[in-house]
Amino acid sequence: MKTVICLLLLAVMGIACSSEPAITTEMLDGGTLFDPSIYKPENYLVSKAIPNPTPDQAKKPVIIACHGYSATTFEWDEFRAWANGRTDLYLSQVLLGGHGRSYDDFKKSTWHDWQAAIMEEYDQLAKAGYTNISLLGSSTSGALLLQLVSSGYFANRLTPRTILLVDPIVIPSDKSLSLVGLVGPMLGYFETQQSVSEDKVFFHFRPQETLQQLQNVLTIVRKDLEKGITLPTGCSMKVYKSKKDSSADPVSAVLIYQGTKTSDGSPVAVELIDSELHVYTRLNLRDQVTAKDRQNQTATFTDIVRRVLR
C-alpha cells in the first residue's frame, strides 16, 4: 500500500519519496557540510559582528535577510556580494531555526522554531540600540514575517522601517502539499530534484514533518489575511513576485495585496516580475540563467536598498 501511495505522489508531485534518506558527505548534513553561519555567526549577523554599536552605527539601516523553507543563508549571498563595499547599511543573514544543520534537527523543528531565529536577531539588534531595522524575506520567510505582524509581535517593539518580500508563499503552486498530513507519515521523506551543487546548500530530502509545519503556517497566514493584517505605524511593505513560479502561486501576491494594509489604510506595493524562477533573486547554481534574470536581480536589489535608505 505504501508503495502505491508513493508512486501516486511521485506522479502528482513530481518528486520521489523514501522512509530513510541516503545522505552523502557532499550534501548538507553530510557530516562536514553545515551552514557557515553556524561556525562564523559574526560574518552573517550584525548583532554578533557589532554588538556594541557607536551612535552613528546604531542609526545606520540594518536589513535582516531571511531565507525560505529547506534553504540556508546561501539564498541571500548574492545580495551580500552585490552590496559589498557599501558603507550606508548593514546586512544580517539569518539562518532559520532547524535549517542548515542536521536532518534530525530539521525534522524536529516547528515553524515557530524557524521564525524564532528572525525574532532573536531583531530583538538583539534593538537591544543593542539599532534604530533603523528592515526585514527582507524570501518564500516561506514571507509567511513567517506576515505572521509576526499579525500576531502583534511589533506592538511593543521598535517598528521595522519596511518589510520586503521576494516570492512569498501563501498559496503553494503544488496543491498536493495539502495531502502531506494524510500520507506523509507513511512516506517519511520527500526527495527533491536539484543539482549536486545545490545539495550543499539546500536540503535534498524534505521530512514530511516539516512539510506539515509548512502547511500549518500557510493555513494560519491565509486566515490572517482573510481577517486583515495591518502594518505597524510607520512601516511599509513591498512584494516582489515572479509571474510564473513553481513553488509559490502568484495568487499569493494578490492575497497579500488584498489582505494587508498600512496603518493609514493604504495598500501595500506589489511588483510582478517577468520571471519563471522561484526566489528569482538567487541565481547561483541554477542550470540556466538569462540576461533578463540578471536584470531582474539587479533591479530588485537596487530597489530594496532604495526603500531601506529613503
Side-chain angles (χ1 to χ4, degrees), residues 60-66 90-92 118 121-122 125 131-137 145 154 158-164 235-236 304-305 307-310:
K60 193 175 295 188
V62 181
I63 302 174
I64 300 178
C66 321
Y90 295 123
L91 176 64
S92 272
I118 303 172
E121 178 63 3
Y122 195 92
L125 289 171
T131 59
N132 188 341
I133 306 174
S134 294
L135 293 158
L136 171 62
L145 292 177
F154 297 108
L158 175 72
T159 297
R161 177 69 176 270
T162 187
I163 299 175
L164 306 165
C235 178
S236 63
I304 287 171
V305 169
R307 288 177 172 272
V308 167
L309 295 180
R310 71 180 182 184

PDB file of all heavy atoms in Angstrom, residues 60-66 90-92 118 121-122 125 131-137 145 154 158-164 235-236 304-305 307-310:
ATOM      1  N   LYS A  60      22.522  53.531  11.471  1.00  0.00           N
ATOM      2  CA  LYS A  60      22.648  53.021  10.106  1.00  0.00           C
ATOM      3  C   LYS A  60      21.594  51.934   9.846  1.00  0.00           C
ATOM      4  O   LYS A  60      21.340  51.087  10.705  1.00  0.00           O
ATOM      5  CB  LYS A  60      24.056  52.444   9.897  1.00  0.00           C
ATOM      6  CG  LYS A  60      24.403  52.162   8.449  1.00  0.00           C
ATOM      7  CD  LYS A  60      25.851  51.717   8.305  1.00  0.00           C
ATOM      8  CE  LYS A  60      26.821  52.834   8.687  1.00  0.00           C
ATOM      9  NZ  LYS A  60      28.217  52.463   8.369  1.00  0.00           N
ATOM     10  N   PRO A  61      20.954  51.910   8.669  1.00  0.00           N
ATOM     11  CA  PRO A  61      19.945  50.893   8.363  1.00  0.00           C
ATOM     12  C   PRO A  61      20.519  49.473   8.409  1.00  0.00           C
ATOM     13  O   PRO A  61      21.630  49.233   7.932  1.00  0.00           O
ATOM     14  CB  PRO A  61      19.499  51.246   6.940  1.00  0.00           C
ATOM     15  CG  PRO A  61      19.808  52.705   6.811  1.00  0.00           C
ATOM     16  CD  PRO A  61      21.070  52.911   7.597  1.00  0.00           C
ATOM     17  N   VAL A  62      19.760  48.574   8.996  1.00  0.00           N
ATOM     18  CA  VAL A  62      20.116  47.156   9.030  1.00  0.00           C
ATOM     19  C   VAL A  62      19.018  46.375   8.321  1.00  0.00           C
ATOM     20  O   VAL A  62      17.827  46.561   8.601  1.00  0.00           O
ATOM     21  CB  VAL A  62      20.244  46.628  10.472  1.00  0.00           C
ATOM     22  CG1 VAL A  62      20.654  45.152  10.452  1.00  0.00           C
ATOM     23  CG2 VAL A  62      21.249  47.446  11.263  1.00  0.00           C
ATOM     24  N   ILE A  63      19.405  45.514   7.386  1.00  0.00           N
ATOM     25  CA  ILE A  63      18.455  44.639   6.706  1.00  0.00           C
ATOM     26  C   ILE A  63      18.641  43.224   7.259  1.00  0.00           C
ATOM     27  O   ILE A  63      19.738  42.669   7.196  1.00  0.00           O
ATOM     28  CB  ILE A  63      18.683  44.613   5.188  1.00  0.00           C
ATOM     29  CG1 ILE A  63      18.573  46.018   4.595  1.00  0.00           C
ATOM     30  CG2 ILE A  63      17.689  43.666   4.514  1.00  0.00           C
ATOM     31  CD1 ILE A  63      18.933  46.088   3.120  1.00  0.00           C
ATOM     32  N   ILE A  64      17.578  42.666   7.807  1.00  0.00           N
ATOM     33  CA  ILE A  64      17.599  41.265   8.231  1.00  0.00           C
ATOM     34  C   ILE A  64      17.043  40.440   7.076  1.00  0.00           C
ATOM     35  O   ILE A  64      15.858  40.531   6.755  1.00  0.00           O
ATOM     36  CB  ILE A  64      16.770  41.040   9.498  1.00  0.00           C
ATOM     37  CG1 ILE A  64      17.309  41.873  10.660  1.00  0.00           C
ATOM     38  CG2 ILE A  64      16.758  39.555   9.873  1.00  0.00           C
ATOM     39  CD1 ILE A  64      16.496  41.723  11.939  1.00  0.00           C
ATOM     40  N   ALA A  65      17.897  39.649   6.423  1.00  0.00           N
ATOM     41  CA  ALA A  65      17.500  38.838   5.275  1.00  0.00           C
ATOM     42  C   ALA A  65      17.230  37.408   5.715  1.00  0.00           C
ATOM     43  O   ALA A  65      18.093  36.770   6.321  1.00  0.00           O
ATOM     44  CB  ALA A  65      18.590  38.878   4.205  1.00  0.00           C
ATOM     45  N   CYS A  66      16.047  36.913   5.395  1.00  0.00           N
ATOM     46  CA  CYS A  66      15.607  35.590   5.859  1.00  0.00           C
ATOM     47  C   CYS A  66      15.295  34.702   4.660  1.00  0.00           C
ATOM     48  O   CYS A  66      14.587  35.118   3.739  1.00  0.00           O
ATOM     49  CB  CYS A  66      14.360  35.722   6.734  1.00  0.00           C
ATOM     50  SG  CYS A  66      14.350  37.153   7.846  1.00  0.00           S
ATOM     51  N   TYR A  90      23.838  47.887   6.816  1.00  0.00           N
ATOM     52  CA  TYR A  90      24.339  46.598   7.283  1.00  0.00           C
ATOM     53  C   TYR A  90      23.374  45.502   6.840  1.00  0.00           C
ATOM     54  O   TYR A  90      22.178  45.754   6.657  1.00  0.00           O
ATOM     55  CB  TYR A  90      24.440  46.564   8.813  1.00  0.00           C
ATOM     56  CG  TYR A  90      25.432  47.520   9.417  1.00  0.00           C
ATOM     57  CD1 TYR A  90      25.020  48.459  10.372  1.00  0.00           C
ATOM     58  CD2 TYR A  90      26.777  47.488   9.074  1.00  0.00           C
ATOM     59  CE1 TYR A  90      25.931  49.332  10.963  1.00  0.00           C
ATOM     60  CE2 TYR A  90      27.693  48.360   9.649  1.00  0.00           C
ATOM     61  CZ  TYR A  90      27.263  49.273  10.586  1.00  0.00           C
ATOM     62  OH  TYR A  90      28.166  50.139  11.154  1.00  0.00           O
ATOM     63  N   LEU A  91      23.913  44.288   6.697  1.00  0.00           N
ATOM     64  CA  LEU A  91      23.089  43.142   6.313  1.00  0.00           C
ATOM     65  C   LEU A  91      23.281  42.000   7.297  1.00  0.00           C
ATOM     66  O   LEU A  91      24.406  41.581   7.565  1.00  0.00           O
ATOM     67  CB  LEU A  91      23.460  42.659   4.905  1.00  0.00           C
ATOM     68  CG  LEU A  91      22.730  41.402   4.405  1.00  0.00           C
ATOM     69  CD1 LEU A  91      21.234  41.649   4.269  1.00  0.00           C
ATOM     70  CD2 LEU A  91      23.319  40.930   3.069  1.00  0.00           C
ATOM     71  N   SER A  92      22.169  41.510   7.845  1.00  0.00           N
ATOM     72  CA  SER A  92      22.167  40.313   8.686  1.00  0.00           C
ATOM     73  C   SER A  92      21.511  39.178   7.909  1.00  0.00           C
ATOM     74  O   SER A  92      20.362  39.316   7.475  1.00  0.00           O
ATOM     75  CB  SER A  92      21.373  40.541   9.982  1.00  0.00           C
ATOM     76  OG  SER A  92      22.155  41.077  11.006  1.00  0.00           O
ATOM     77  N   ILE A 118      14.516  34.690  13.465  1.00  0.00           N
ATOM     78  CA  ILE A 118      14.291  36.059  12.988  1.00  0.00           C
ATOM     79  C   ILE A 118      14.044  36.979  14.182  1.00  0.00           C
ATOM     80  O   ILE A 118      14.620  38.068  14.282  1.00  0.00           O
ATOM     81  CB  ILE A 118      13.084  36.105  12.033  1.00  0.00           C
ATOM     82  CG1 ILE A 118      13.288  35.151  10.851  1.00  0.00           C
ATOM     83  CG2 ILE A 118      12.856  37.536  11.542  1.00  0.00           C
ATOM     84  CD1 ILE A 118      12.060  34.995   9.971  1.00  0.00           C
ATOM     85  N   GLU A 121      17.306  37.744  16.235  1.00  0.00           N
ATOM     86  CA  GLU A 121      18.191  38.759  15.660  1.00  0.00           C
ATOM     87  C   GLU A 121      17.558  40.148  15.770  1.00  0.00           C
ATOM     88  O   GLU A 121      18.245  41.128  16.087  1.00  0.00           O
ATOM     89  CB  GLU A 121      18.518  38.423  14.200  1.00  0.00           C
ATOM     90  CG  GLU A 121      19.401  39.437  13.480  1.00  0.00           C
ATOM     91  CD  GLU A 121      20.802  39.596  14.071  1.00  0.00           C
ATOM     92  OE1 GLU A 121      21.155  38.866  15.030  1.00  0.00           O
ATOM     93  OE2 GLU A 121      21.555  40.455  13.569  1.00  0.00           O
ATOM     94  N   TYR A 122      16.257  40.245  15.526  1.00  0.00           N
ATOM     95  CA  TYR A 122      15.575  41.534  15.625  1.00  0.00           C
ATOM     96  C   TYR A 122      15.690  42.090  17.042  1.00  0.00           C
ATOM     97  O   TYR A 122      16.037  43.260  17.241  1.00  0.00           O
ATOM     98  CB  TYR A 122      14.108  41.382  15.231  1.00  0.00           C
ATOM     99  CG  TYR A 122      13.425  42.705  14.964  1.00  0.00           C
ATOM    100  CD1 TYR A 122      13.385  43.233  13.679  1.00  0.00           C
ATOM    101  CD2 TYR A 122      12.825  43.435  15.994  1.00  0.00           C
ATOM    102  CE1 TYR A 122      12.777  44.457  13.427  1.00  0.00           C
ATOM    103  CE2 TYR A 122      12.223  44.660  15.751  1.00  0.00           C
ATOM    104  CZ  TYR A 122      12.193  45.162  14.457  1.00  0.00           C
ATOM    105  OH  TYR A 122      11.591  46.379  14.223  1.00  0.00           O
ATOM    106  N   LEU A 125      19.301  43.172  17.941  1.00  0.00           N
ATOM    107  CA  LEU A 125      19.667  44.447  17.325  1.00  0.00           C
ATOM    108  C   LEU A 125      19.004  45.615  18.049  1.00  0.00           C
ATOM    109  O   LEU A 125      19.651  46.638  18.329  1.00  0.00           O
ATOM    110  CB  LEU A 125      19.253  44.445  15.847  1.00  0.00           C
ATOM    111  CG  LEU A 125      20.064  43.533  14.921  1.00  0.00           C
ATOM    112  CD1 LEU A 125      19.419  43.464  13.546  1.00  0.00           C
ATOM    113  CD2 LEU A 125      21.503  44.017  14.798  1.00  0.00           C
ATOM    114  N   THR A 131      18.375  51.465  15.547  1.00  0.00           N
ATOM    115  CA  THR A 131      17.074  52.136  15.481  1.00  0.00           C
ATOM    116  C   THR A 131      16.412  52.087  14.109  1.00  0.00           C
ATOM    117  O   THR A 131      15.287  52.560  13.949  1.00  0.00           O
ATOM    118  CB  THR A 131      17.226  53.610  15.878  1.00  0.00           C
ATOM    119  OG1 THR A 131      18.167  54.248  14.983  1.00  0.00           O
ATOM    120  CG2 THR A 131      17.712  53.733  17.308  1.00  0.00           C
ATOM    121  N   ASN A 132      17.104  51.520  13.121  1.00  0.00           N
ATOM    122  CA  ASN A 132      16.572  51.504  11.753  1.00  0.00           C
ATOM    123  C   ASN A 132      16.721  50.090  11.188  1.00  0.00           C
ATOM    124  O   ASN A 132      17.733  49.751  10.578  1.00  0.00           O
ATOM    125  CB  ASN A 132      17.325  52.522  10.896  1.00  0.00           C
ATOM    126  CG  ASN A 132      16.709  52.697   9.521  1.00  0.00           C
ATOM    127  OD1 ASN A 132      15.945  51.866   9.040  1.00  0.00           O
ATOM    128  ND2 ASN A 132      17.055  53.795   8.866  1.00  0.00           N
ATOM    129  N   ILE A 133      15.714  49.250  11.409  1.00  0.00           N
ATOM    130  CA  ILE A 133      15.786  47.845  11.015  1.00  0.00           C
ATOM    131  C   ILE A 133      14.692  47.535  10.000  1.00  0.00           C
ATOM    132  O   ILE A 133      13.529  47.884  10.199  1.00  0.00           O
ATOM    133  CB  ILE A 133      15.624  46.915  12.234  1.00  0.00           C
ATOM    134  CG1 ILE A 133      16.630  47.268  13.328  1.00  0.00           C
ATOM    135  CG2 ILE A 133      15.790  45.454  11.810  1.00  0.00           C
ATOM    136  CD1 ILE A 133      16.430  46.492  14.615  1.00  0.00           C
ATOM    137  N   SER A 134      15.067  46.870   8.914  1.00  0.00           N
ATOM    138  CA  SER A 134      14.117  46.420   7.909  1.00  0.00           C
ATOM    139  C   SER A 134      14.203  44.904   7.788  1.00  0.00           C
ATOM    140  O   SER A 134      15.230  44.295   8.131  1.00  0.00           O
ATOM    141  CB  SER A 134      14.406  47.069   6.551  1.00  0.00           C
ATOM    142  OG  SER A 134      14.186  48.460   6.602  1.00  0.00           O
ATOM    143  N   LEU A 135      13.140  44.303   7.290  1.00  0.00           N
ATOM    144  CA  LEU A 135      13.061  42.848   7.161  1.00  0.00           C
ATOM    145  C   LEU A 135      12.890  42.466   5.701  1.00  0.00           C
ATOM    146  O   LEU A 135      12.049  43.028   4.989  1.00  0.00           O
ATOM    147  CB  LEU A 135      11.889  42.303   7.984  1.00  0.00           C
ATOM    148  CG  LEU A 135      12.048  42.449   9.502  1.00  0.00           C
ATOM    149  CD1 LEU A 135      10.700  42.399  10.191  1.00  0.00           C
ATOM    150  CD2 LEU A 135      12.967  41.356  10.040  1.00  0.00           C
ATOM    151  N   LEU A 136      13.693  41.509   5.263  1.00  0.00           N
ATOM    152  CA  LEU A 136      13.673  41.030   3.886  1.00  0.00           C
ATOM    153  C   LEU A 136      13.492  39.522   3.916  1.00  0.00           C
ATOM    154  O   LEU A 136      14.325  38.807   4.480  1.00  0.00           O
ATOM    155  CB  LEU A 136      14.994  41.405   3.190  1.00  0.00           C
ATOM    156  CG  LEU A 136      15.274  40.832   1.805  1.00  0.00           C
ATOM    157  CD1 LEU A 136      14.229  41.297   0.800  1.00  0.00           C
ATOM    158  CD2 LEU A 136      16.681  41.243   1.341  1.00  0.00           C
ATOM    159  N   GLY A 137      12.405  39.031   3.343  1.00  0.00           N
ATOM    160  CA  GLY A 137      12.136  37.598   3.402  1.00  0.00           C
ATOM    161  C   GLY A 137      11.845  37.008   2.042  1.00  0.00           C
ATOM    162  O   GLY A 137      11.190  37.641   1.209  1.00  0.00           O
ATOM    163  N   LEU A 145       7.081  36.297   8.265  1.00  0.00           N
ATOM    164  CA  LEU A 145       7.071  37.718   8.588  1.00  0.00           C
ATOM    165  C   LEU A 145       5.646  38.264   8.661  1.00  0.00           C
ATOM    166  O   LEU A 145       5.324  39.072   9.533  1.00  0.00           O
ATOM    167  CB  LEU A 145       7.887  38.498   7.550  1.00  0.00           C
ATOM    168  CG  LEU A 145       9.391  38.228   7.562  1.00  0.00           C
ATOM    169  CD1 LEU A 145      10.080  38.996   6.431  1.00  0.00           C
ATOM    170  CD2 LEU A 145      10.013  38.602   8.900  1.00  0.00           C
ATOM    171  N   PHE A 154       5.201  43.253  16.940  1.00  0.00           N
ATOM    172  CA  PHE A 154       5.839  44.572  16.912  1.00  0.00           C
ATOM    173  C   PHE A 154       5.088  45.621  17.735  1.00  0.00           C
ATOM    174  O   PHE A 154       5.503  46.785  17.766  1.00  0.00           O
ATOM    175  CB  PHE A 154       5.967  45.061  15.464  1.00  0.00           C
ATOM    176  CG  PHE A 154       6.844  44.196  14.611  1.00  0.00           C
ATOM    177  CD1 PHE A 154       6.300  43.383  13.628  1.00  0.00           C
ATOM    178  CD2 PHE A 154       8.213  44.179  14.801  1.00  0.00           C
ATOM    179  CE1 PHE A 154       7.112  42.573  12.838  1.00  0.00           C
ATOM    180  CE2 PHE A 154       9.039  43.375  14.015  1.00  0.00           C
ATOM    181  CZ  PHE A 154       8.473  42.566  13.033  1.00  0.00           C
ATOM    182  N   LEU A 158      10.377  48.117  18.697  1.00  0.00           N
ATOM    183  CA  LEU A 158      10.790  49.022  17.640  1.00  0.00           C
ATOM    184  C   LEU A 158      10.081  48.628  16.351  1.00  0.00           C
ATOM    185  O   LEU A 158      10.054  47.455  15.980  1.00  0.00           O
ATOM    186  CB  LEU A 158      12.310  48.930  17.455  1.00  0.00           C
ATOM    187  CG  LEU A 158      12.919  49.716  16.298  1.00  0.00           C
ATOM    188  CD1 LEU A 158      12.894  51.213  16.614  1.00  0.00           C
ATOM    189  CD2 LEU A 158      14.350  49.238  16.032  1.00  0.00           C
ATOM    190  N   THR A 159       9.514  49.594  15.657  1.00  0.00           N
ATOM    191  CA  THR A 159       8.804  49.315  14.403  1.00  0.00           C
ATOM    192  C   THR A 159       9.796  49.134  13.266  1.00  0.00           C
ATOM    193  O   THR A 159      10.714  49.958  13.098  1.00  0.00           O
ATOM    194  CB  THR A 159       7.856  50.474  14.056  1.00  0.00           C
ATOM    195  OG1 THR A 159       6.873  50.593  15.077  1.00  0.00           O
ATOM    196  CG2 THR A 159       7.167  50.228  12.726  1.00  0.00           C
ATOM    197  N   PRO A 160       9.657  48.085  12.469  1.00  0.00           N
ATOM    198  CA  PRO A 160      10.543  47.932  11.312  1.00  0.00           C
ATOM    199  C   PRO A 160      10.300  49.045  10.301  1.00  0.00           C
ATOM    200  O   PRO A 160       9.158  49.487  10.109  1.00  0.00           O
ATOM    201  CB  PRO A 160      10.165  46.559  10.738  1.00  0.00           C
ATOM    202  CG  PRO A 160       8.789  46.292  11.258  1.00  0.00           C
ATOM    203  CD  PRO A 160       8.703  46.962  12.583  1.00  0.00           C
ATOM    204  N   ARG A 161      11.357  49.487   9.651  1.00  0.00           N
ATOM    205  CA  ARG A 161      11.249  50.561   8.660  1.00  0.00           C
ATOM    206  C   ARG A 161      10.397  50.095   7.479  1.00  0.00           C
ATOM    207  O   ARG A 161       9.482  50.783   7.023  1.00  0.00           O
ATOM    208  CB  ARG A 161      12.652  50.975   8.193  1.00  0.00           C
ATOM    209  CG  ARG A 161      12.670  52.033   7.105  1.00  0.00           C
ATOM    210  CD  ARG A 161      12.200  53.372   7.627  1.00  0.00           C
ATOM    211  NE  ARG A 161      12.306  54.422   6.626  1.00  0.00           N
ATOM    212  CZ  ARG A 161      13.410  55.178   6.472  1.00  0.00           C
ATOM    213  NH1 ARG A 161      14.456  54.980   7.248  1.00  0.00           N
ATOM    214  NH2 ARG A 161      13.436  56.117   5.555  1.00  0.00           N
ATOM    215  N   THR A 162      10.733  48.911   6.961  1.00  0.00           N
ATOM    216  CA  THR A 162       9.976  48.355   5.849  1.00  0.00           C
ATOM    217  C   THR A 162      10.107  46.833   5.868  1.00  0.00           C
ATOM    218  O   THR A 162      11.074  46.284   6.418  1.00  0.00           O
ATOM    219  CB  THR A 162      10.460  48.924   4.498  1.00  0.00           C
ATOM    220  OG1 THR A 162       9.589  48.491   3.456  1.00  0.00           O
ATOM    221  CG2 THR A 162      11.884  48.486   4.186  1.00  0.00           C
ATOM    222  N   ILE A 163       9.134  46.169   5.270  1.00  0.00           N
ATOM    223  CA  ILE A 163       9.151  44.716   5.128  1.00  0.00           C
ATOM    224  C   ILE A 163       9.081  44.414   3.643  1.00  0.00           C
ATOM    225  O   ILE A 163       8.150  44.840   2.953  1.00  0.00           O
ATOM    226  CB  ILE A 163       7.973  44.053   5.872  1.00  0.00           C
ATOM    227  CG1 ILE A 163       8.058  44.362   7.373  1.00  0.00           C
ATOM    228  CG2 ILE A 163       7.976  42.539   5.643  1.00  0.00           C
ATOM    229  CD1 ILE A 163       6.866  43.855   8.175  1.00  0.00           C
ATOM    230  N   LEU A 164      10.056  43.678   3.140  1.00  0.00           N
ATOM    231  CA  LEU A 164      10.183  43.405   1.717  1.00  0.00           C
ATOM    232  C   LEU A 164      10.139  41.896   1.492  1.00  0.00           C
ATOM    233  O   LEU A 164      10.903  41.152   2.105  1.00  0.00           O
ATOM    234  CB  LEU A 164      11.490  43.995   1.189  1.00  0.00           C
ATOM    235  CG  LEU A 164      11.659  45.498   1.491  1.00  0.00           C
ATOM    236  CD1 LEU A 164      13.107  45.928   1.287  1.00  0.00           C
ATOM    237  CD2 LEU A 164      10.728  46.320   0.629  1.00  0.00           C
ATOM    238  N   CYS A 235       5.512  51.702   9.159  1.00  0.00           N
ATOM    239  CA  CYS A 235       6.117  50.574   8.426  1.00  0.00           C
ATOM    240  C   CYS A 235       5.464  50.427   7.060  1.00  0.00           C
ATOM    241  O   CYS A 235       4.237  50.492   6.941  1.00  0.00           O
ATOM    242  CB  CYS A 235       5.951  49.287   9.225  1.00  0.00           C
ATOM    243  SG  CYS A 235       6.613  47.810   8.405  1.00  0.00           S
ATOM    244  N   SER A 236       6.269  50.223   6.036  1.00  0.00           N
ATOM    245  CA  SER A 236       5.772  49.989   4.678  1.00  0.00           C
ATOM    246  C   SER A 236       6.070  48.553   4.270  1.00  0.00           C
ATOM    247  O   SER A 236       6.792  47.834   4.960  1.00  0.00           O
ATOM    248  CB  SER A 236       6.422  50.967   3.695  1.00  0.00           C
ATOM    249  OG  SER A 236       7.828  50.763   3.647  1.00  0.00           O
ATOM    250  N   ILE A 304      15.401  47.393  -3.349  1.00  0.00           N
ATOM    251  CA  ILE A 304      15.421  47.059  -1.918  1.00  0.00           C
ATOM    252  C   ILE A 304      16.229  48.087  -1.145  1.00  0.00           C
ATOM    253  O   ILE A 304      15.787  48.633  -0.131  1.00  0.00           O
ATOM    254  CB  ILE A 304      15.997  45.642  -1.708  1.00  0.00           C
ATOM    255  CG1 ILE A 304      14.985  44.582  -2.145  1.00  0.00           C
ATOM    256  CG2 ILE A 304      16.391  45.426  -0.240  1.00  0.00           C
ATOM    257  CD1 ILE A 304      15.546  43.170  -2.186  1.00  0.00           C
ATOM    258  N   VAL A 305      17.437  48.380  -1.629  1.00  0.00           N
ATOM    259  CA  VAL A 305      18.303  49.338  -0.948  1.00  0.00           C
ATOM    260  C   VAL A 305      17.681  50.727  -0.968  1.00  0.00           C
ATOM    261  O   VAL A 305      17.720  51.463   0.034  1.00  0.00           O
ATOM    262  CB  VAL A 305      19.699  49.346  -1.600  1.00  0.00           C
ATOM    263  CG1 VAL A 305      20.526  50.515  -1.076  1.00  0.00           C
ATOM    264  CG2 VAL A 305      20.415  48.026  -1.313  1.00  0.00           C
ATOM    265  N   ARG A 307      14.560  51.556  -0.962  1.00  0.00           N
ATOM    266  CA  ARG A 307      13.453  51.623   0.005  1.00  0.00           C
ATOM    267  C   ARG A 307      13.941  51.614   1.452  1.00  0.00           C
ATOM    268  O   ARG A 307      13.330  52.240   2.310  1.00  0.00           O
ATOM    269  CB  ARG A 307      12.492  50.443  -0.232  1.00  0.00           C
ATOM    270  CG  ARG A 307      11.679  50.598  -1.506  1.00  0.00           C
ATOM    271  CD  ARG A 307      10.770  49.423  -1.803  1.00  0.00           C
ATOM    272  NE  ARG A 307       9.921  49.761  -2.916  1.00  0.00           N
ATOM    273  CZ  ARG A 307       8.740  50.384  -2.817  1.00  0.00           C
ATOM    274  NH1 ARG A 307       8.270  50.710  -1.625  1.00  0.00           N
ATOM    275  NH2 ARG A 307       8.035  50.683  -3.882  1.00  0.00           N
ATOM    276  N   VAL A 308      15.032  50.934   1.672  1.00  0.00           N
ATOM    277  CA  VAL A 308      15.578  50.898   3.028  1.00  0.00           C
ATOM    278  C   VAL A 308      16.222  52.226   3.409  1.00  0.00           C
ATOM    279  O   VAL A 308      16.139  52.671   4.550  1.00  0.00           O
ATOM    280  CB  VAL A 308      16.609  49.748   3.163  1.00  0.00           C
ATOM    281  CG1 VAL A 308      17.418  49.867   4.434  1.00  0.00           C
ATOM    282  CG2 VAL A 308      15.896  48.402   3.100  1.00  0.00           C
ATOM    283  N   LEU A 309      16.836  52.876   2.432  1.00  0.00           N
ATOM    284  CA  LEU A 309      17.572  54.111   2.700  1.00  0.00           C
ATOM    285  C   LEU A 309      16.718  55.363   2.680  1.00  0.00           C
ATOM    286  O   LEU A 309      17.101  56.387   3.239  1.00  0.00           O
ATOM    287  CB  LEU A 309      18.719  54.268   1.699  1.00  0.00           C
ATOM    288  CG  LEU A 309      19.830  53.233   1.773  1.00  0.00           C
ATOM    289  CD1 LEU A 309      20.880  53.523   0.711  1.00  0.00           C
ATOM    290  CD2 LEU A 309      20.473  53.198   3.158  1.00  0.00           C
ATOM    291  N   ARG A 310      15.568  55.307   2.029  1.00  0.00           N
ATOM    292  CA  ARG A 310      14.807  56.555   1.867  1.00  0.00           C
ATOM    293  C   ARG A 310      14.199  57.047   3.176  1.00  0.00           C
ATOM    294  O   ARG A 310      13.984  56.300   4.113  1.00  0.00           O
ATOM    295  CB  ARG A 310      13.729  56.357   0.810  1.00  0.00           C
ATOM    296  CG  ARG A 310      12.563  55.467   1.197  1.00  0.00           C
ATOM    297  CD  ARG A 310      11.596  55.384   0.062  1.00  0.00           C
ATOM    298  NE  ARG A 310      10.427  54.563   0.400  1.00  0.00           N
ATOM    299  CZ  ARG A 310       9.447  54.269  -0.456  1.00  0.00           C
ATOM    300  NH1 ARG A 310       9.525  54.709  -1.692  1.00  0.00           N
ATOM    301  NH2 ARG A 310       8.425  53.543  -0.081  1.00  0.00           N
TER     302      ARG A 310
END
